[in-house]
Amino acid sequence: MKEEINASKVEDPSPSPTPTATKSVTPNVFATSLPADKEAGLDVNAKDDDIAPAPLEYPEGGFGWLVVFGAFMMQFCGFGFVFSWGVYQEHYLAENIFPGATLSQVSWVGGIGASSVFLTGPFQASMTRLFGLHSFIAAGAVISSSGIILASFTKELWQLYLTQGVLFGLGAGMSIFTSIAVPVQWFNKRRGLASGITVAGSGIGGAALAPLNRFLISQLGFRWALRIMGLSFVVIIFSVMMCIRTRFPIGHRGGPIFDFSLFREPGFATMYFMGVLVTFGYLTPVFLLPYYVTDIGMDPRTGATLVGIFSGVNAISRVILGIAADKFGRFNILALCTILSGLSCYIFWLNTRNLAMAIVFVVGYGANGGGFVSLFPVVAAEVIGVERLAAAVGLLYSGNLFGNLLGTPIASAIVTASGGSYSWAIVFAGTTPILGAILLLTHRFKIEKRIFVKI
């Protein structure tokens, strides 16, 4: 490890320090040949005092844009397919694929899939140190793709829970967390923009995959649609995997699997519980919309189109909100857009009775909802420190498991209990992000009480 540091350090023109002084070291972040264990930015044999200090300067581009591209494509495949779940849910119910299954029962598949993405979160730093970054991503690609393909052979609903639910989500999460944590290590001034582009992959994925899955289902049936998706994902992820490279060590070997000391940081606890609250409502409109529009008399293809519009607007807004956050303050923009996403459920979704209002809703919700996904890791980096983010992000995002697992099933159960009325389910979907934003604001105002200040 020391030899690598010496080979990559920048010559210091100042007089030689005394033997007890520590030299400033900048790793060679553009090196293209790294041993397998150092692909994750670590040396498994290193001691704490062998690890170079975090560089004070960021490339703000260069190879970092390839890192962003690779992470973008992992988001495209992972969360893009999650956003497409509503298309499959509508088809399973409309065609009675699983005889007697209710909306609430089928919706658990989407909830399990979205929440399983976060199952490996607390373990990811340890597993990446143990197996290597690229091996870990490759294993995730195989697991997620296998889950999608195996779902095409299911005959019972419980089998779908395990395949399109657990297996897909588990594998997808192994690459998604990497794609969230790594790009922010390459940028400082442009961190909001880089993160926005990265997570825009999920929105672009939803925009492309929801209509594509609807087309494949109509032409080839849902079983072949799933098989095509599964094979495509593993090819794409393997193709872009080498773009992913870290700049900071994830941590030294022997570190704790669950670093609960992070919860002693007030900002970390705030971010964790904000993620818990917001995710209870975040995916509910995306998952229920295809079924909702058919329930009020629209064509099933309209639901897929609306999900595509939502995802496209969502993707664009993530980039725009990332730029806005860099200019006006990351805490400020994250809180604002999260509140507006909740309000859009109250103002627009509650009043949706025709296609025009449905479009207004998906545009309004998509434009603001994307901010939570793009800015959550950016604000987390501000709170935790970018050097600790790769190790902390899995534990931080594990809080999202609860909302993604239970949010849509709870909303679906509310619809059933209300005799088919969506009103209280919509209120539920709108309230939880607003509560999460209020929690964030309590921490923001502890840092700076003035409202119109960039923070």
Side-chain angles (χ1 to χ4, degrees), residues 257-279:
I257 295 177
F258 301 100
D259 188 3
F260 288 116
S261 66
L262 288 164
F263 281 99
R264 290 199 290 267
E265 301 288 339
F268 182 87
T270 298
M271 296 300 297
Y272 182 88
F273 289 109
M274 179 195 183
V276 172
L277 285 168
V278 173
T279 50

Side-chain angles (χ1 to χ4, degrees), residues 64-205:
W65 291 120
L66 282 179
V67 177
V68 169
F69 171 73
F72 173 96
M73 292 307 299
M74 290 181 185
Q75 292 270 334
F76 180 98
C77 293
F79 273 128
F81 190 73
V82 169
F83 283 174
S84 301
W85 159 247
V87 174
Y88 284 94
Q89 177 175 263
E90 186 278 327
H91 179 77
Y92 293 152
L93 290 166
E95 300 300 323
N96 201 27
I97 302 298
F98 303 99
T102 65
L103 169 63
S104 180
Q105 291 171 330
V106 174
S107 69
W108 274 101
V109 180
I112 291 171
S115 63
S116 294
V117 168
F118 303 94
L119 279 177
T120 61
F123 308 95
Q124 289 210 354
S126 298
M127 288 190 289
T128 303
R129 289 195 297 265
L130 183 62
F131 299 110
L133 179 65
H134 291 161
S135 297
F136 187 68
I137 295 173
V142 171
I143 292 170
S144 61
S145 297
S146 297
I148 297 173
I149 293 171
L150 288 172
S152 70
F153 297 99
T154 56
K155 302 294 184 182
E156 304 288 340
L157 189 58
W158 67 267
Q159 296 169 342
L160 206 65
Y161 292 160
L162 296 178
T163 54
Q164 198 168 355
V166 175
L167 277 180
F168 162 71
L170 188 69
M174 293 168 71
S175 58
I176 285 174
F177 281 115
T178 304
S179 68
I180 290 172
V182 175
V184 297
Q185 298 182 0
W186 293 78
F187 300 86
N188 185 21
K189 294 180 181 178
R190 298 177 177 176
R191 188 173 295 160
L193 173 61
S195 179
I197 294 173
T198 297
V199 296
S202 60
I204 297 294

